[in-house]
Amino acid sequence: MALVFIVTLVQDSTFKSVNETSVPLLFVDNDKDSLSFQLENSLTQAHFFTTSKKNISVDEAKQLVATGKFLMAVIVPENISKKLRNKAKAKISKAFNPNDSIINDDSELQLQLFFDPITKQSFKVTISSAIDKIVSGIEMQSLTKELSQQLKQNFPNAKPIAFDSKPLVTTIQQYASTNETSLVPNSVQHNVPAWTMFAMFFICIPLSANIIRERDDGSAFRLLTMSGSYLNVLMGKILIYLLVNLIQFVLMLCVGIYFLPMLGLPQLQIGNNFFTLLVVALSSGLAACGFGLLVGTIAGSVDQAALFGAVSIVILAALGGVWIPTFVMPEFMRKISSISPLNWGLEAFYGVFVRGLSLGGIFIYLLKLKLFFVACVSGAFYYQVYRRMR
Amino acid sequence: MENQFVEIQNISKLYKGSLVPAVNNISLQIKKQSVFGLLGPNGAGKTTLISMLCGLFKPDSGKIFVDGFNTISESKKTKQIIGVVPQEIALYAKLTAWENLMFLGQMYGIESVELKKRINEHLQILGLEENKNQQIRTFSGGMKRRINLIAGLLHHPKLLILDEPTVGIDVQSKTAIINHLKKINKEQGTTIFYTSHHLDEAQDFCTHIAIIDEGKLITEGETNEVIKKNNCKTIEEVYLNITGQKFRD
């Protein structure tokens, strides 16, 4: 439970940066004219950047980004607004009077962008595109303003044309969730199910230790000499540990729903499909208990079981996306992660919590978890038969 | 032959990785209602033989029949008529004596009212009635041994297998256990298969004795006969003559 608190808090800013992308940006305005004002205004309104304005040199700005104080810097050169207006005027005049000998200024108007070297290429492309879009809007405004003035000069009786600079085509972005309430993946939505799966699989340690202790103290010997099926004994154990797992599951959900919001984190949204959620919890619990049973049957001592159990769960958890979500993993790791039962459980929980899927939608993960359980129990049963009968 | 309750036919068992068989071509016949003592030094093969008798281990060769049932191919039927008292205290330390016995009795499928009656009877005879609601972990070694014994008796087995039932306990507990076993043997007709390192106890308790060493059967027969044919006065003397003075750690 402590892990959920700590890791969720630690990852919260990471998820926010992925989801909300609040980039610390240094804005150096050497223009102090319309373009820099509009650009600064647009950057602030985009809620995409945390803008800090400083009157410093280009080299100083570069140094601040290089030392990691800012993720990027935008340098607006001197007189760029004036040059933009002149260029726009020249372009529009040329369009109206192609034979005029207006001297066209071919020099390029450039904004300088500096990026922190740790930023990925994809980040640079995204940010550059966002700034290009803002600058294009400002350019378009300059051109339309100049066009309007030229029209007024050439056609004095014409009514002034008001250009609406709003884009004609826009995009709507939504998360592909079947939930009525569109849920945003955040640190809580990831960490609560992830660490719930981790905790559920850690039942392996006490369960395997119990099996080994029974074997060492002769209880297993006595139980095996009874006429009832030893499989019933194993199933009885699984039922009890499954119950413990379910209690653990409910407590973890309570942490996500009631306690994490007290720390300023988002509340866990579990959707409305409680039956599906119960089936996922049962399937995950069964898989965890089955694994514990297998480890307890094969391991020679409590120490061996504890060591192997803990290490294998940590590996399966790492592969399964408990610490680092699979969507940020490289492609080949994502393929490997699909062999981890923790990943199946996690994907099933995501299916219910984030994607709002029904039983049918997560059927494949539930099937994998149950097959894993059957394989583990069968393995444990036949291994102990083999060990006795070999 | 008809009077033989347990028939062990040429059984051998070699553990994987071991060069010497734990049990080497042993044949034994145990009469109904007898008290059969299997004696031998540490590592002689007693526990392996018991495990095969219970149907837990499969012999590499040979067969074992209990009341006519093959312990491997008819293991379910065999298990219904045997009771096992392991050498270890095979009880749940955090459960009370009553809870332990109720659980194990229910595992044998004994009906609840009858089970409670049987538990109370045994607890009374073995002087544990007042302690029945105490956790096993609070019990002395002797008390634990007595509960361990009761757990193997609850379903009235025809064959009771005891692996060193009196090891590490005081004389009072030992006497109580042996007297209780004698009573059960006499009144219920239970055949007892017993191992121990207490040779004076074995001489007093067992009607028949077998001594094994290094997996092989050295001598067997009625207790008095075994003493007589080896020209000794006690089983301990026979035992030391046969197995020697060498340590078997």
Side-chain angles (χ1 to χ4, degrees):
Chain A
M1 213 173 273
L3 280 168
V4 181
F5 278 107
I6 294 163
V7 179
T8 308
L9 281 167
V10 168
Q11 288 190 354
D12 192 48
S13 61
T14 311
F15 271 88
K16 271 184 185 160
S17 70
V18 170
N19 294 319
E20 297 162 17
T21 325
S22 184
V23 178
L25 180 145
L26 173 63
F27 191 78
V28 179
D29 183 4
N30 294 324
D31 178 44
K32 295 185 180 63
D33 200 345
S34 56
L35 186 142
S36 64
F37 293 151
Q38 280 188 61
L39 180 59
E40 188 190 350
N41 212 19
S42 299
L43 289 172
T44 309
Q45 284 177 355
H47 301 293
F48 202 62
F49 307 99
T50 309
T51 312
S52 298
K53 195 175 176 183
K54 286 185 192 285
N55 284 319
I56 51 174
S57 68
V58 173
D59 286 342
E60 285 170 329
K62 195 175 174 183
Q63 185 64 22
L64 283 173
V65 175
T67 54
K69 299 274 189 309
F70 293 92
L71 211 55
M72 66 172 295
V74 178
I75 316 293
V76 186
E78 207 176 341
N79 294 327
I80 192 167
S81 298
K82 196 176 168 187
K83 286 177 185 171
L84 176 65
R85 282 195 295 270
N86 289 340
K87 270 183 169 274
K89 192 173 182 179
K91 261 192 181 173
I92 297 296
S93 293
K94 190 86 179 166
F96 275 90
N97 307 297
N99 299 323
D100 276 5
S101 54
I102 297 165
I103 300 160
N104 215 345
D105 181 7
D106 287 336
S107 65
E108 278 191 19
L109 305 180
Q110 288 178 324
L111 294 173
Q112 258 184 301
L113 304 180
F114 291 118
F115 288 96
D116 188 328
I118 65 157
T119 53
K120 283 184 173 181
Q121 182 63 22
S122 57
F123 174 82
K124 282 194 276 192
V125 170
T126 308
I127 299 295
S128 300
S129 301
I131 291 177
D132 281 348
K133 194 179 169 189
I134 294 170
V135 171
S136 297
I138 295 168
E139 269 181 34
M140 184 57 73
Q141 277 182 3
S142 292
L143 288 168
T144 51
K145 195 176 169 189
E146 197 55 45
L147 179 64
S148 185
Q149 280 178 357
Q150 282 287 339
L151 282 170
K152 205 176 172 184
Q153 278 178 19
N154 290 310
F155 307 100
N157 297 328
K159 285 183 182 175
I161 301 165
F163 282 99
D164 186 355
S165 60
K166 279 185 184 173
L168 298 175
V169 179
T170 58
T171 57
I172 302 167
Q173 293 180 12
Q174 282 181 316
Y175 288 105
S177 163
T178 57
N179 274 347
E180 284 178 16
T181 54
S182 181
L183 294 171
V184 179
N186 55 44
S187 60
V188 173
Q189 292 300 123
H190 166 70
N191 277 303
V192 174
W195 292 101
T196 301
M197 280 305 297
F198 188 70
M200 285 172 111
F201 265 78
F202 249 87
I203 203 91
C204 161
I205 310 283
L207 176 53
S208 56
N210 174 281
I211 290 165
I212 293 162
R213 255 183 240 119
E214 270 194 358
R215 200 167 65 211
D216 290 347
D217 73 11
S219 303
F221 181 85
R222 195 199 290 277
L223 291 170
L224 283 163
T225 61
M226 291 177 167
S227 53
S229 168
Y230 188 64
L231 203 56
N232 290 344
V233 177
L234 295 183
M235 295 315 281
K237 274 188 203 305
I238 286 170
L239 267 180
I240 295 299
Y241 281 89
L242 185 61
L243 187 66
V244 174
N245 250 342
L246 290 180
I247 293 169
Q248 204 174 21
F249 170 72
V250 172
L251 287 175
M252 293 291 258
L253 290 192
C254 289
V255 167
I257 295 168
Y258 302 111
F259 292 103
L260 293 180
M262 288 180 193
L263 302 174
L265 295 163
Q267 187 181 44
L268 176 72
Q269 303 294 319
I270 60 168
N272 299 319
N273 204 340
F274 299 117
F275 175 71
T276 308
L277 196 55
L278 180 68
V279 175
V280 175
L282 279 171
S283 305
S284 304
L286 281 174
C289 290
F291 184 63
L293 202 65
L294 186 63
V295 172
T297 307
I298 294 172
S301 66
V302 173
D303 289 342
Q304 200 180 48
L307 186 68
F308 175 78
V311 171
S312 58
I313 293 163
V314 167
I315 291 170
L316 289 173
L319 287 177
V322 167
W323 286 309
I324 299 166
T326 49
F327 66 81
V328 295
M329 287 182 184
E331 181 62 28
F332 78 97
M333 282 307 293
R334 250 179 280 169
K335 279 182 184 161
I336 293 172
S337 81
S338 65
I339 62 162
S340 167
L342 275 88
N343 179 259
W344 308 332
L346 196 52
E347 286 296 329
F349 277 123
Y350 279 163
V352 181
F353 288 167
V354 182
R355 299 185 188 108
L357 299 175
S358 62
L359 270 180
I362 54 171
F363 174 75
I364 187 70
Y365 300 117
L366 299 178
L367 182 69
K368 282 181 182 179
L369 286 166
K370 283 179 184 135
L371 287 176
F372 180 76
F373 165 71
V374 172
C376 285
V377 174
S378 306
F381 181 73
Y382 286 109
Y383 183 80
Q384 64 89 17
V385 172
Y386 160 77
R387 190 160 54 188
R388 288 191 289 110
M389 296 302 173
R390 71 186 172 184
Chain B
M1 187 74 181
E2 281 173 15
N3 202 23
Q4 305 304 333
F5 192 70
V6 179
E7 183 84 24
I8 297 172
Q9 297 175 351
N10 308 101
I11 57 160
S12 293
K13 179 76 183 175
L14 177 70
Y15 287 115
K16 204 177 175 183
S18 174
L19 296 172
V20 184
V23 172
N24 191 356
N25 196 29
I26 286 181
S27 294
L28 287 170
Q29 290 177 341
I30 301 169
K31 284 182 181 168
K32 197 169 184 177
Q33 214 180 333
S34 63
V35 179
F36 190 94
L38 182 69
L39 310 177
N42 291 333
K46 302 189 294 293
T47 303
T48 303
L49 187 57
I50 284 182
S51 297
M52 289 192 284
L53 185 55
C54 298
L56 291 185
F57 286 1
K58 189 180 178 184
D60 294 334
S61 61
K63 285 176 184 171
I64 303 176
F65 295 92
V66 175
D67 201 15
F69 298 120
N70 186 310
T71 54
I72 297 299
S73 60
E74 296 169 294
S75 70
K76 201 170 178 181
K77 285 177 183 168
T78 312
K79 284 174 181 177
Q80 280 170 351
I81 56 171
I82 64 168
V84 179
V85 179
Q87 188 179 341
E88 299 86 3
I89 305 293
L91 300 166
Y92 297 95
K94 288 184 182 174
L95 296 185
T96 65
W98 182 264
E99 288 166 342
N100 264 289
L101 295 172
M102 281 300 289
F103 167 69
L104 293 168
Q106 282 163 352
M107 288 296 292
Y108 279 117
I110 306 165
E111 192 266 323
S112 182
V113 177
E114 177 62 21
L115 177 60
K116 285 175 186 169
K117 193 180 140 209
R118 289 185 193 181
I119 293 172
N120 277 322
E121 277 173 13
H122 286 295
L123 286 173
Q124 198 177 12
I125 293 167
L126 289 170
L128 290 165
E129 207 178 17
E130 286 178 8
N131 310 94
K132 66 182 180 185
N133 293 319
Q134 287 175 18
Q135 287 185 340
I136 289 295
R137 63 178 173 170
T138 66
F139 278 25
S140 68
M143 290 160 86
K144 285 178 189 169
R145 284 270 163 220
R146 281 178 273 162
I147 296 291
N148 205 30
L149 172 66
I150 295 172
L153 296 171
L154 291 171
H155 61 300
H156 291 172
K158 287 184 180 176
L159 173 66
L160 182 63
I161 299 165
L162 304 142
D163 194 0
E164 299 190 37
T166 57
V167 68
I169 57 171
D170 60 20
V171 178
Q172 284 79 7
S173 289
K174 200 193 304 187
T175 308
I177 287 172
I178 295 297
N179 287 343
H180 193 48
L181 289 171
K182 282 179 178 171
K183 189 169 173 254
I184 285 164
N185 173 249
K186 198 175 173 186
E187 290 177 1
Q188 292 178 12
T190 308
T191 306
I192 294 176
F193 186 94
Y194 152 99
T195 74
S196 180
H197 289 294
H198 299 304
L199 301 181
D200 50 342
E201 178 188 287
Q203 186 176 331
D204 168 59
F205 180 44
C206 300
T207 56
H208 295 74
I209 289 283
I211 298 176
I212 61 169
D213 195 13
E214 294 175 342
K216 291 177 191 159
L217 180 65
I218 310 296
T219 184
E220 63 131 347
E222 284 187 24
T223 307
N224 291 333
E225 264 182 31
V226 170
I227 295 169
K228 210 172 174 181
K229 76 181 173 188
N230 285 282
N231 295 319
C232 296
K233 287 176 184 168
T234 61
I235 282 293
E236 188 168 334
E237 211 181 322
V238 177
Y239 182 91
L240 285 170
N241 281 349
I242 289 172
T243 60
Q245 303 279 347
K246 201 178 145 195
F247 290 119
R248 308 299 181 88
D249 298 322

